[in-house]
Amino acid sequence: MYHLYTHNDLDGVSCGILAKCAFGEKVEIRYNSIGGLNDQVARYLERPKKKSSLIITDLSVNEQNERGLDAYYRAGGKVLLLDHHKTALHLNEYPWGKVQVEYENGKLASATSLLYEHFIQQRLLKPTKALDDYVELVRLYDTWEWEKAGRVEAKRLNDLFFMVSMEEFEETMLERLEDDDQPFAFSDFEDKILNIEEERIERYVRRKKRELVQTYIHDRCVGIVHAESYHSELGHELGRDNPHLDYIAILNVGGKKMSLRTIHDHIDVSEIAARFGGGGHSKASGCSMGEEVYRLYVSETFTMEPVRPDAFKNKYNLKDSPFGTLYENRKEQQIFIFSSDKEWEVDVDDQECSERFSTFAQAERFVKRRFSAWLVRDEAYVHYLMEQRSDKRSRALVLV
């Protein structure tokens, strides 16, 4: 008998689907949250089952279970842990641990792709077109490579996963993957409900964009929003719209969880999550909401006003404009970015900043991070320019 303990997200549940394809009724699967795995493993080690194999995927264990699993393995027990999070790399020191973050070709690994390869190598599964396609979609979504690869169906697969029950998703995918020769595809009905879901997600994200607050936490410029749903979509959209932010923190106070997302290669949110006892990927991680997380991200930011989004229907106040670009913030400061001698300068309420920038993007990043400012509408921009022209004319008359 096989026992599979895995995560309860798309990547983890897909490991369960592969295990059922390989073992049929000879596998018992338990889907766990990040915090629930260790209790599950501890119970297994207390009463190890004879002639059984334990497989753990997409999650890692604490130090106590690490020692327990090693003792169990050395006593003749069969155990395999497969993971792809860099916070679990130390488990490669054990013969039962295999942690791989990325492949030799530079592609990032997922638990599903690692387990699929393991089953093929052990001749427990034969590769098929349907399985190949499905495993790749899961890998693309879980590693956030789907957008770069132009594979929106990977995101739609995750949307479908959250739209139906875990049992229904598992049953549907098992039936579809039995068709060896056909590539993996959604049914017509699934396509229709996924289109409806995409519209719902767009409305939800659009509303949450207006609730984003900005602050500095541990020297990082952070965007914070409270949301219970669609964390990946929300994190992606907010990060893309606000590239000056180092990362996005999505808070679910009811669920006592925090999700972290970034679009930047130089920011590793798994390190930030690890500071609070969590973990994950470099661009997508999470942790439980303990006292310190609550204080830093909820309590100390609760009274902050949201940062307004940039005006998006402008014809005159445009970014990188040769006539200059105007921003404002909650303190009603007016920040003007303009080009001078092949450099970009910044004026704050007509006071020149000492900083100089070689590109407009650098200047705007400085303005947004330092002043929490947004691009104003054309009306305010034209009024500002008229005032500047009037002031210059007045000063000229005084000099005369």
Side-chain angles (χ1 to χ4, degrees), residues 13-291:
V13 171
S14 295
C15 290
I17 292 171
L18 291 182
K20 288 194 173 182
C21 289
F23 304 127
E25 299 297 322
K26 296 180 180 180
V27 61
E28 179 185 84
I29 302 171
R30 299 290 177 88
Y31 296 115
N32 297 270
S33 64
I34 294 174
L37 174 71
N38 283 306
D39 290 339
Q40 190 81 55
V41 172
R43 286 193 295 269
Y44 181 91
L45 292 174
E46 286 174 2
R47 297 179 180 178
K49 300 171 178 61
K50 295 182 179 180
K51 296 183 180 179
S52 67
S53 297
L54 175 61
I55 303 174
I56 301 171
T57 59
D58 204 31
L59 293 169
S60 59
V61 294
N62 60 22
E63 291 184 10
Q64 182 178 349
N65 281 326
E66 185 180 324
R67 293 191 296 269
L69 287 172
D70 194 49
Y72 173 68
Y73 176 83
R74 293 182 183 280
K78 295 181 179 179
V79 58
L80 172 67
L81 186 147
L82 290 174
D83 198 7
H84 62 120
H85 300 102
K86 73 174 189 177
T87 49
L89 282 170
H90 64 281
L91 296 177
N92 282 330
E93 298 172 3
Y94 300 100
W96 45 266
K98 181 182 178 183
V99 181
Q100 185 172 352
V101 177
E102 66 177 59
Y103 296 103
E104 292 181 358
N105 59 8
K107 289 184 177 180
L108 296 175
S110 71
T112 301
S113 65
L114 292 173
L115 185 62
Y116 185 47
E117 292 174 353
H118 173 76
F119 281 161
I120 291 174
Q121 291 169 2
Q122 298 298 316
R123 298 187 178 181
L124 296 169
L125 269 182
K126 292 172 61 177
T128 67
K129 178 61 176 172
L131 281 170
D132 288 348
D133 288 350
Y134 179 82
V135 169
E136 178 63 3
L137 289 179
V138 174
R139 188 197 70 80
L140 285 169
Y141 182 80
D142 197 67
T143 60
W144 275 51
E145 292 184 351
W146 65 270
E147 187 175 37
K148 186 184 295 185
R151 299 290 302 275
V152 69
E153 58 267 41
K155 178 190 173 299
R156 287 167 72 86
L157 180 63
N158 188 71
D159 290 344
L160 182 64
F161 172 75
F162 281 103
M163 290 175 66
V164 300
S165 68
M166 195 178 296
E167 293 77 14
E168 183 180 351
F169 181 84
E170 190 179 68
E171 182 179 345
T172 301
M173 294 303 110
L174 283 169
E175 291 178 359
R176 196 159 304 169
L177 294 174
E178 287 179 354
D179 195 343
D180 296 351
D181 298 327
Q182 294 298 318
F184 178 84
F186 298 109
S187 67
D188 291 340
F189 175 73
E190 289 168 348
D191 274 327
K192 289 179 181 178
I193 64 172
L194 283 168
N195 290 337
I196 295 172
E197 179 70 0
E198 285 181 1
E199 294 176 0
R200 183 181 293 119
I201 293 172
E202 287 178 6
R203 290 195 299 271
Y204 184 83
V205 170
R206 191 160 55 244
R207 185 172 77 250
K208 288 297 174 180
K209 284 181 178 181
R210 298 193 292 269
E211 301 175 8
L212 182 74
V213 300
Q214 176 178 321
T215 189
Y216 273 86
I217 297 176
H218 296 148
D219 298 325
R220 293 294 187 189
C221 191
V222 187
I224 299 174
V225 67
H226 291 255
E228 295 181 353
S229 307
Y230 309 124
H231 286 190
S232 292
E233 292 84 357
L234 187 58
H236 174 74
E237 287 292 325
L238 290 175
R240 188 182 65 178
D241 289 352
N242 301 277
H244 67 285
L245 297 173
D246 292 321
Y247 66 92
I248 306 296
I250 306 169
L251 307 175
N252 182 350
V253 177
K256 295 182 174 63
K257 295 179 181 179
M258 178 172 70
S259 298
L260 305 176
R261 300 290 188 271
T262 185
I263 62 170
H264 302 294
D265 293 333
H266 68 282
I267 302 293
D268 188 343
V269 291
S270 70
E271 295 178 354
I272 299 167
R275 183 180 295 163
F276 305 112
H281 301 291
S282 60
K283 294 189 177 182
S285 293
C287 63
S288 298
M289 190 178 290
E291 290 185 7

Side-chain angles (χ1 to χ4, degrees), residues 215-382:
T215 189
Y216 273 86
I217 297 176
H218 296 148
D219 298 325
R220 293 294 187 189
C221 191
V222 187
I224 299 174
V225 67
H226 291 255
E228 295 181 353
S229 307
Y230 309 124
H231 286 190
S232 292
E233 292 84 357
L234 187 58
H236 174 74
E237 287 292 325
L238 290 175
R240 188 182 65 178
D241 289 352
N242 301 277
H244 67 285
L245 297 173
D246 292 321
Y247 66 92
I248 306 296
I250 306 169
L251 307 175
N252 182 350
V253 177
K256 295 182 174 63
K257 295 179 181 179
M258 178 172 70
S259 298
L260 305 176
R261 300 290 188 271
T262 185
I263 62 170
H264 302 294
D265 293 333
H266 68 282
I267 302 293
D268 188 343
V269 291
S270 70
E271 295 178 354
I272 299 167
R275 183 180 295 163
F276 305 112
H281 301 291
S282 60
K283 294 189 177 182
S285 293
C287 63
S288 298
M289 190 178 290
E291 290 185 7
E292 187 179 8
V293 171
Y294 183 85
R295 177 179 62 82
L296 290 171
Y297 293 86
V298 181
S299 180
E300 294 183 1
T301 65
F302 187 75
T303 59
M304 290 182 177
E305 290 290 333
V307 177
R308 291 178 184 172
D310 288 338
F312 61 93
K313 292 184 178 180
N314 286 352
K315 293 183 179 179
Y316 306 111
N317 189 29
L318 303 175
K319 298 184 180 186
D320 212 359
S321 169
F323 304 106
T325 309
L326 182 65
Y327 295 79
E328 286 183 351
N329 62 11
R330 289 287 181 185
K331 296 179 180 179
E332 297 185 354
Q333 291 176 300
Q334 291 185 313
I335 303 103
F336 192 61
I337 302 176
F338 61 98
S339 178
S340 175
D341 295 328
K342 297 182 180 181
E343 288 185 321
W344 292 89
E345 299 183 21
V346 176
D347 279 359
V348 181
D349 289 339
D350 297 329
Q351 299 297 314
E352 189 175 305
C353 292
S354 59
E355 289 84 351
R356 298 289 185 273
F357 306 93
S358 58
T359 66
F360 174 85
Q362 291 174 353
E364 185 191 40
R365 183 174 185 271
F366 166 79
V367 165
K368 284 182 169 285
R369 288 169 71 94
R370 174 73 67 86
F371 301 101
S372 299
W374 55 83
L375 186 74
V376 303
R377 294 181 179 179
D378 279 343
E379 295 88 342
Y381 176 68
V382 172

